[in-house]
């Protein structure tokens, strides 16, 4: 009798457990489009290849779009939506305005997808694949992109302003920002290695040039020519002064010699708990590339819309 009751309780508990689970978002493996749209991945890869051949920085800009998508209510292509009468999108959020780029490349790829197989390939999956292909094109290692994301029907200016880390953050705030999304400090450092490619505007690092001490003086002097103490907000400098279009470990060697461009970059080698990892990555490129790839797969899994949630947008800028 007693064991029968226990069994019933156990059963009810089990049913409740299943029922109370949120529609668990489960991505599929990289073969998701093999039958649905066989040419999708090759077509995306060659479009990224030509965009990056035309302008190497585009690889960096495309990688960043995926990050800024995933950290704001999940990898749902919300960043691609233009403002509408019903909501203000994410493009004008502080971390994105005058800064995120590559939207035209995504739109071109989306048009190709709609010609190949209408209504099948989501904008969110395009962002994930394009990020991987960009890293590979600039010398990083490849990884298997999980697929099957669907696109949001809304976007959040407020979430973009609060969930994306600012370059003014110190180490503990950076760790908290990533831990809020389920990442360890170690994964945060690996992902920050993205800054081995791409550019930043003067407005994002001016304070570091003129007010901080943990900066190489020759580095600061050369940057000041590009980034005056006032004016020139949009002037660009490479995040990795050594090799801005190569996905290598120079970002980490730069930090060791106090040549991080952003305050947040240099914080990773500021005498805190992440110093040793920075030193290790500066000497072990393969380890960095592997850790980066793993962390990117994890980032690509942030709260995707799957099943019947969301939609496959036909135009990434607009809800259907
Ligand atoms: C750790 C916290 C991070 C902070 C505070 C941060 C901040 C920034 C800032 C301020 C810029 C320059 C933007 C501009 O001036 O327009 C930038 C650029 C960039 N970020 Fe980050 N970022 C972080 C992490 C990441 C992650 C995790 C990724 C990718 C996975 C990433 C990828 C990039 C790339 C590739 C660029 C260059 C973009 C281009 O040249 O168009 N960042 N980031
Ligand atoms: C705004 O919302 C209303 C009501 O839900 C809808 O009818 C309208 O099409 C939406 N407008 C846009 C531009 O999305
Ligand atoms: C964006 O750039 C424009 C043109 O340079 C400038 O007028 C505007 O203030 C910038 N916006 C922000 C938030 O930096
Ligand atoms: C880091 O920044 C946070 C938030 O601004 C602040 O509370 C904290 O004291 C700072 N920590 C250090 C070690 O400077």
């Amino acid at each position: 009798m007693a064991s029968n009751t226990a069994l019933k309780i156990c059963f009810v508990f089990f049913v409740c457990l299943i029922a109370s689970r949120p529609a668990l978002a489960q991505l599929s493996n990289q073969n998701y489009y093999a039958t649905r749209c066989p040419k999708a991945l090759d077509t995306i890869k060659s479009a990224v290849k030509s965009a990056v051949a035309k302008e190497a920085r585009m690889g960096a800009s495309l990688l960043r779009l995926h990050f800024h998508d995933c950290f704001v209510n999940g990898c749902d292509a919300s960043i691609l939506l233009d403002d509408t009468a019903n909501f203000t999108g994410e493009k004008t959020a502080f971390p994105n305005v005058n800064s995120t780029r590559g939207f035209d490349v995504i739109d071109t790829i989306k048009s190709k997808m709609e010609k190949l197989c209408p209504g099948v390939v989501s904008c969110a999956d395009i962002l994930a694949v394009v990020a991987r292909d960009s890293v590979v094109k600039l010398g990083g290692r490849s990884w298997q992109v999980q697929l099957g994301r669907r696109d949001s029907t809304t976007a959040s200016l407020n979430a973009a302003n609060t969930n994306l880390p600012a370059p003014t953050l110190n180490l503990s705030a950076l760790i908290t920002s990533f831990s809020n999304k389920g990442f360890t400090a170690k994964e945060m450092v690996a992902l920050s290695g993205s800054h081995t490619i791409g550019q930043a505007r003067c407005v994002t690092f001016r304070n570091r040039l003129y007010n901080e001490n943990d900066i190489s003086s020759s580095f600061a002097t050369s940057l000041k020519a590009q980034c005056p103490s006032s004016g020139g907000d949009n002037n660009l400098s490479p995040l990795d002064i050594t090799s801005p279009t190569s996905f290598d470990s120079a970002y980490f060697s730069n930090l060791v010699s106090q040549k991080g461009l952003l305050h947040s970059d240099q914080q990773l080698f500021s005498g805190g708990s992440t110093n040793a990892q920075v030193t290790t990555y500066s000497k072990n490129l393969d380890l960095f590339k592997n850790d980066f790839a793993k962390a990117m797969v994890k980032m690509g899994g942030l709260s995707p819309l799957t099943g019947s949630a969301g939609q496959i947008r036909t135009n990434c800028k607009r809800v259907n």
Side-chain angles (χ1 to χ4, degrees):
M1 267 330 246
S3 83
N4 193 12
T5 309
L7 202 69
K8 276 182 192 156
I9 291 171
C10 191
F11 180 74
V12 167
F13 177 73
F14 183 67
V15 168
C16 291
L17 194 75
I18 300 233
S20 69
R21 251 159 74 159
L24 191 63
Q26 193 67 60
L27 289 176
S28 303
N29 68 25
Q30 63 170 2
N31 299 322
Y32 184 75
Y33 292 111
T35 50
R36 292 170 174 87
C37 190
K39 290 185 177 156
L41 296 197
D42 283 345
T43 306
I44 297 174
K45 188 188 282 174
S46 69
V48 169
K49 222 176 189 173
S50 64
V52 175
K54 207 164 126 198
E55 188 208 4
R57 182 190 173 197
M58 188 52 74
S61 306
L62 293 170
L63 168 60
R64 189 168 183 239
L65 278 184
H66 183 45
F67 167 50
H68 281 209
D69 179 31
C70 293
F71 262 52
V72 182
N73 296 329
C75 310
D76 60 359
S78 55
I79 191 173
L80 302 177
L81 288 174
D82 285 341
D83 296 352
T84 70
N86 293 336
F87 64 82
T88 305
E90 296 162 18
K91 290 180 179 177
T92 54
F94 194 69
N96 291 333
V97 70
N98 289 347
S99 179
T100 43
R101 56 201 293 281
F103 297 105
D104 293 349
V105 174
I106 301 298
D107 289 339
T108 302
I109 290 172
K110 180 59 178 178
S111 309
K112 289 183 199 286
M113 294 300 112
E114 289 305 296
K115 276 192 198 115
L116 278 180
C117 6
V120 171
V121 184
S122 69
C123 301
D125 275 351
I126 291 173
L127 286 174
V129 173
V130 154
R132 189 267 316 268
D133 292 348
S134 294
V135 167
V136 170
K137 187 74 177 75
L138 295 176
R141 63 152 269 198
S142 193
W143 61 86
Q144 299 198 350
V145 181
Q146 293 194 290
L147 296 168
R149 297 169 191 79
R150 290 163 62 86
D151 302 323
S152 71
T153 52
T154 188
S156 173
L157 176 76
N158 182 56
N161 275 324
T162 52
N163 293 1
L164 291 167
T168 49
L169 298 187
N170 62 27
L171 180 61
S172 64
L174 288 166
I175 291 173
T176 301
S177 169
F178 278 71
S179 133
N180 288 342
K181 298 288 168 188
F183 292 92
T184 62
K186 191 177 168 201
E187 289 166 331
M188 183 274 289
V189 172
L191 288 171
S192 295
S194 295
H195 291 179
T196 188
I197 53 174
Q199 308 270 328
R201 291 162 304 151
C202 166
V203 67
T204 65
F205 58 85
R206 176 183 288 122
N207 188 59
R208 171 157 166 72
L209 296 189
Y210 294 94
N211 297 309
E212 294 182 1
N213 299 319
D214 59 347
I215 184 167
S216 142
S217 60
S218 63
F219 179 61
T221 303
S222 71
L223 285 171
K224 282 174 182 172
Q226 271 297 106
C227 184
S229 56
S230 75
D233 282 8
N234 293 326
N235 295 354
L236 296 172
S237 291
L239 284 153
D240 163 6
I241 187 74
T242 319
S243 49
T245 59
S246 167
F247 200 92
D248 55 18
S249 58
Y251 168 78
F252 295 105
S253 330
N254 293 338
L255 298 184
V256 171
S257 45
Q258 300 200 313
K259 291 178 182 164
L261 185 65
L262 306 177
H263 171 79
S264 52
D265 291 327
Q266 197 59 53
Q267 280 291 296
L268 306 183
F269 194 81
S270 61
S273 53
T274 54
N275 271 34
Q277 193 187 347
V278 168
T279 306
T280 302
Y281 283 163
S282 76
K283 295 177 190 158
N284 192 337
L285 177 58
D286 285 341
L287 182 66
F288 161 55
K289 285 182 174 179
N290 289 339
D291 287 355
F292 181 79
K294 271 187 236 152
M296 285 299 291
V297 172
K298 181 167 171 179
M299 192 180 88
L302 284 175
S303 314
L305 299 170
T306 57
S308 58
Q311 59 179 220
I312 308 291
R313 278 182 227 142
T314 53
N315 177 339
C316 293
K317 292 176 151 81
R318 289 196 294 271
V319 170
N320 292 341

mmCIF file with all atom_site columns, all heavy atoms in Angstrom, residues 227-238:
data_model
loop_
_atom_site.group_PDB
_atom_site.id
_atom_site.type_symbol
_atom_site.label_atom_id
_atom_site.label_alt_id
_atom_site.label_comp_id
_atom_site.label_asym_id
_atom_site.label_entity_id
_atom_site.label_seq_id
_atom_site.pdbx_PDB_ins_code
_atom_site.Cartn_x
_atom_site.Cartn_y
_atom_site.Cartn_z
_atom_site.occupancy
_atom_site.B_iso_or_equiv
_atom_site.pdbx_formal_charge
_atom_site.auth_seq_id
_atom_site.auth_comp_id
_atom_site.auth_asym_id
_atom_site.auth_atom_id
_atom_site.pdbx_PDB_model_num
ATOM 1  N N   . CYS A 1 227 ? 42.469 60.048 -31.544 1.00 0.00 ? 227 CYS A N   1
ATOM 2  C CA  . CYS A 1 227 ? 41.353 60.230 -30.628 1.00 0.00 ? 227 CYS A CA  1
ATOM 3  C C   . CYS A 1 227 ? 41.642 61.396 -29.681 1.00 0.00 ? 227 CYS A C   1
ATOM 4  O O   . CYS A 1 227 ? 42.141 61.219 -28.573 1.00 0.00 ? 227 CYS A O   1
ATOM 5  C CB  . CYS A 1 227 ? 41.136 58.928 -29.844 1.00 0.00 ? 227 CYS A CB  1
ATOM 6  S SG  . CYS A 1 227 ? 39.702 58.943 -28.746 1.00 0.00 ? 227 CYS A SG  1
ATOM 7  N N   . PRO A 1 228 ? 41.345 62.620 -30.150 1.00 0.00 ? 228 PRO A N   1
ATOM 8  C CA  . PRO A 1 228 ? 41.642 63.807 -29.337 1.00 0.00 ? 228 PRO A CA  1
ATOM 9  C C   . PRO A 1 228 ? 40.790 63.852 -28.063 1.00 0.00 ? 228 PRO A C   1
ATOM 10 O O   . PRO A 1 228 ? 39.802 63.133 -27.963 1.00 0.00 ? 228 PRO A O   1
ATOM 11 C CB  . PRO A 1 228 ? 41.297 64.955 -30.272 1.00 0.00 ? 228 PRO A CB  1
ATOM 12 C CG  . PRO A 1 228 ? 40.414 64.399 -31.324 1.00 0.00 ? 228 PRO A CG  1
ATOM 13 C CD  . PRO A 1 228 ? 40.720 62.944 -31.432 1.00 0.00 ? 228 PRO A CD  1
ATOM 14 N N   . SER A 1 229 ? 41.188 64.685 -27.128 1.00 0.00 ? 229 SER A N   1
ATOM 15 C CA  . SER A 1 229 ? 40.453 64.722 -25.851 1.00 0.00 ? 229 SER A CA  1
ATOM 16 C C   . SER A 1 229 ? 39.036 65.251 -26.025 1.00 0.00 ? 229 SER A C   1
ATOM 17 O O   . SER A 1 229 ? 38.175 65.003 -25.189 1.00 0.00 ? 229 SER A O   1
ATOM 18 C CB  . SER A 1 229 ? 41.214 65.546 -24.818 1.00 0.00 ? 229 SER A CB  1
ATOM 19 O OG  . SER A 1 229 ? 41.449 66.837 -25.325 1.00 0.00 ? 229 SER A OG  1
ATOM 20 N N   . SER A 1 230 ? 38.800 66.000 -27.106 1.00 0.00 ? 230 SER A N   1
ATOM 21 C CA  . SER A 1 230 ? 37.400 66.252 -27.458 1.00 0.00 ? 230 SER A CA  1
ATOM 22 C C   . SER A 1 230 ? 37.263 66.310 -28.967 1.00 0.00 ? 230 SER A C   1
ATOM 23 O O   . SER A 1 230 ? 38.194 66.705 -29.671 1.00 0.00 ? 230 SER A O   1
ATOM 24 C CB  . SER A 1 230 ? 36.894 67.541 -26.806 1.00 0.00 ? 230 SER A CB  1
ATOM 25 O OG  . SER A 1 230 ? 37.434 68.640 -27.485 1.00 0.00 ? 230 SER A OG  1
ATOM 26 N N   . GLY A 1 231 ? 36.115 65.856 -29.433 1.00 0.00 ? 231 GLY A N   1
ATOM 27 C CA  . GLY A 1 231 ? 35.894 65.751 -30.879 1.00 0.00 ? 231 GLY A CA  1
ATOM 28 C C   . GLY A 1 231 ? 36.402 64.424 -31.422 1.00 0.00 ? 231 GLY A C   1
ATOM 29 O O   . GLY A 1 231 ? 37.116 63.698 -30.724 1.00 0.00 ? 231 GLY A O   1
ATOM 30 N N   . GLY A 1 232 ? 36.009 64.119 -32.631 1.00 0.00 ? 232 GLY A N   1
ATOM 31 C CA  . GLY A 1 232 ? 36.461 62.879 -33.270 1.00 0.00 ? 232 GLY A CA  1
ATOM 32 C C   . GLY A 1 232 ? 35.858 61.628 -32.670 1.00 0.00 ? 232 GLY A C   1
ATOM 33 O O   . GLY A 1 232 ? 36.449 60.545 -32.745 1.00 0.00 ? 232 GLY A O   1
ATOM 34 N N   . ASP A 1 233 ? 34.674 61.754 -32.085 1.00 0.00 ? 233 ASP A N   1
ATOM 35 C CA  . ASP A 1 233 ? 34.042 60.601 -31.421 1.00 0.00 ? 233 ASP A CA  1
ATOM 36 C C   . ASP A 1 233 ? 33.984 59.345 -32.278 1.00 0.00 ? 233 ASP A C   1
ATOM 37 O O   . ASP A 1 233 ? 34.097 58.238 -31.759 1.00 0.00 ? 233 ASP A O   1
ATOM 38 C CB  . ASP A 1 233 ? 32.599 60.954 -31.012 1.00 0.00 ? 233 ASP A CB  1
ATOM 39 C CG  . ASP A 1 233 ? 32.547 61.811 -29.769 1.00 0.00 ? 233 ASP A CG  1
ATOM 40 O OD1 . ASP A 1 233 ? 33.628 62.256 -29.299 1.00 0.00 ? 233 ASP A OD1 1
ATOM 41 O OD2 . ASP A 1 233 ? 31.429 62.048 -29.263 1.00 0.00 ? 233 ASP A OD2 1
ATOM 42 N N   . ASN A 1 234 ? 33.753 59.524 -33.561 1.00 0.00 ? 234 ASN A N   1
ATOM 43 C CA  . ASN A 1 234 ? 33.566 58.350 -34.420 1.00 0.00 ? 234 ASN A CA  1
ATOM 44 C C   . ASN A 1 234 ? 34.848 57.866 -35.094 1.00 0.00 ? 234 ASN A C   1
ATOM 45 O O   . ASN A 1 234 ? 34.810 56.938 -35.895 1.00 0.00 ? 234 ASN A O   1
ATOM 46 C CB  . ASN A 1 234 ? 32.492 58.624 -35.481 1.00 0.00 ? 234 ASN A CB  1
ATOM 47 C CG  . ASN A 1 234 ? 31.110 58.783 -34.843 1.00 0.00 ? 234 ASN A CG  1
ATOM 48 O OD1 . ASN A 1 234 ? 30.801 58.128 -33.850 1.00 0.00 ? 234 ASN A OD1 1
ATOM 49 N ND2 . ASN A 1 234 ? 30.298 59.659 -35.398 1.00 0.00 ? 234 ASN A ND2 1
ATOM 50 N N   . ASN A 1 235 ? 36.003 58.492 -34.771 1.00 0.00 ? 235 ASN A N   1
ATOM 51 C CA  . ASN A 1 235 ? 37.268 58.016 -35.339 1.00 0.00 ? 235 ASN A CA  1
ATOM 52 C C   . ASN A 1 235 ? 37.540 56.593 -34.851 1.00 0.00 ? 235 ASN A C   1
ATOM 53 O O   . ASN A 1 235 ? 37.344 56.288 -33.677 1.00 0.00 ? 235 ASN A O   1
ATOM 54 C CB  . ASN A 1 235 ? 38.431 58.912 -34.897 1.00 0.00 ? 235 ASN A CB  1
ATOM 55 C CG  . ASN A 1 235 ? 38.311 60.322 -35.446 1.00 0.00 ? 235 ASN A CG  1
ATOM 56 O OD1 . ASN A 1 235 ? 37.421 60.601 -36.252 1.00 0.00 ? 235 ASN A OD1 1
ATOM 57 N ND2 . ASN A 1 235 ? 39.205 61.203 -35.003 1.00 0.00 ? 235 ASN A ND2 1
ATOM 58 N N   . LEU A 1 236 ? 38.028 55.771 -35.762 1.00 0.00 ? 236 LEU A N   1
ATOM 59 C CA  . LEU A 1 236 ? 38.207 54.357 -35.429 1.00 0.00 ? 236 LEU A CA  1
ATOM 60 C C   . LEU A 1 236 ? 39.653 54.000 -35.110 1.00 0.00 ? 236 LEU A C   1
ATOM 61 O O   . LEU A 1 236 ? 40.578 54.556 -35.692 1.00 0.00 ? 236 LEU A O   1
ATOM 62 C CB  . LEU A 1 236 ? 37.753 53.507 -36.614 1.00 0.00 ? 236 LEU A CB  1
ATOM 63 C CG  . LEU A 1 236 ? 36.269 53.586 -36.975 1.00 0.00 ? 236 LEU A CG  1
ATOM 64 C CD1 . LEU A 1 236 ? 36.009 52.856 -38.293 1.00 0.00 ? 236 LEU A CD1 1
ATOM 65 C CD2 . LEU A 1 236 ? 35.405 53.011 -35.856 1.00 0.00 ? 236 LEU A CD2 1
ATOM 66 N N   . SER A 1 237 ? 39.828 53.055 -34.193 1.00 0.00 ? 237 SER A N   1
ATOM 67 C CA  . SER A 1 237 ? 41.126 52.419 -33.954 1.00 0.00 ? 237 SER A CA  1
ATOM 68 C C   . SER A 1 237 ? 40.908 50.923 -33.809 1.00 0.00 ? 237 SER A C   1
ATOM 69 O O   . SER A 1 237 ? 39.848 50.496 -33.355 1.00 0.00 ? 237 SER A O   1
ATOM 70 C CB  . SER A 1 237 ? 41.781 52.959 -32.683 1.00 0.00 ? 237 SER A CB  1
ATOM 71 O OG  . SER A 1 237 ? 42.180 54.286 -32.866 1.00 0.00 ? 237 SER A OG  1
ATOM 72 N N   . PRO A 1 238 ? 41.921 50.139 -34.175 1.00 0.00 ? 238 PRO A N   1
ATOM 73 C CA  . PRO A 1 238 ? 41.768 48.687 -34.061 1.00 0.00 ? 238 PRO A CA  1
ATOM 74 C C   . PRO A 1 238 ? 41.758 48.214 -32.611 1.00 0.00 ? 238 PRO A C   1
ATOM 75 O O   . PRO A 1 238 ? 42.531 48.712 -31.786 1.00 0.00 ? 238 PRO A O   1
ATOM 76 C CB  . PRO A 1 238 ? 42.981 48.121 -34.793 1.00 0.00 ? 238 PRO A CB  1
ATOM 77 C CG  . PRO A 1 238 ? 43.881 49.258 -35.087 1.00 0.00 ? 238 PRO A CG  1
ATOM 78 C CD  . PRO A 1 238 ? 43.177 50.536 -34.831 1.00 0.00 ? 238 PRO A CD  1
#
